[in-house]
Amino acid sequence: VQLQASGGGSVQAGGSLRLSCSASRRAFRNDALGWFRQAPGKEREFVAAFSWNDGSAVYADSVRGRFTIADANAKLAVYLQMNSLKPEDTAVYYCAQGPAPNLPRVYQWGQGTQVTVSS
């Protein structure tokens, strides 16, 4: 499977952005599709994942309540709605596919997309 990420950009603190991740084939039932991010000089970290088996979502503590991940196209895509963005959300965001519910392994990475939040 190939993953295609889109969205991202620059926004001021408090603003919103939406990322999308599309897969080249329909997901298997026990798959999840989600996002990691990597800020300069930091480790790549989990952000959110959507599980196809039960439609549930998992979030990192740092984004819970501000970000929403959901099915965008019947197991072919998810979107990540990012609201109330903070400067610390600035990072390259990577789409990823792996086991549900929270991508403990990543089978496939998409290309990164830059998100920049200015104060």
Side-chain angles (χ1 to χ4, degrees):
V1 62
Q2 292 184 330
L3 303 179
Q4 180 69 41
S6 61
S10 298
V11 66
Q12 290 191 325
S16 299
L17 287 171
R18 175 177 285 205
L19 306 181
S20 294
C21 178
S22 299
S24 59
R25 62 149 176 81
R26 203 166 294 275
F28 293 122
R29 181 172 176 79
N30 293 326
D31 281 354
L33 201 58
W35 296 90
F36 288 73
R37 67 186 181 186
Q38 188 167 20
K42 294 189 176 181
E43 300 273 329
R44 191 171 296 190
E45 64 177 1
F46 172 80
V47 176
F50 181 86
S51 298
W52 302 112
N53 56 2
D54 60 3
S56 63
V58 178
Y59 300 95
D61 289 344
S62 58
V63 306
R64 187 176 294 113
R66 299 187 297 122
F67 291 12
T68 301
I69 188 168
D71 180 2
N73 187 13
K75 295 189 177 181
L76 282 174
V78 294
Y79 68 82
L80 182 70
Q81 179 67 39
M82 305 184 293
N83 297 329
S84 302
L85 282 162
K86 304 176 181 179
E88 51 263 44
D89 294 317
T90 296
V92 177
Y93 284 68
Y94 295 91
C95 178
Q97 182 196 26
N102 60 349
L103 304 173
R105 298 181 303 281
V106 174
Y107 299 148
Q108 184 66 43
W109 292 101
Q111 86 278 15
T113 184
Q114 178 71 45
V115 171
T116 303
V117 184
S118 58
S119 57

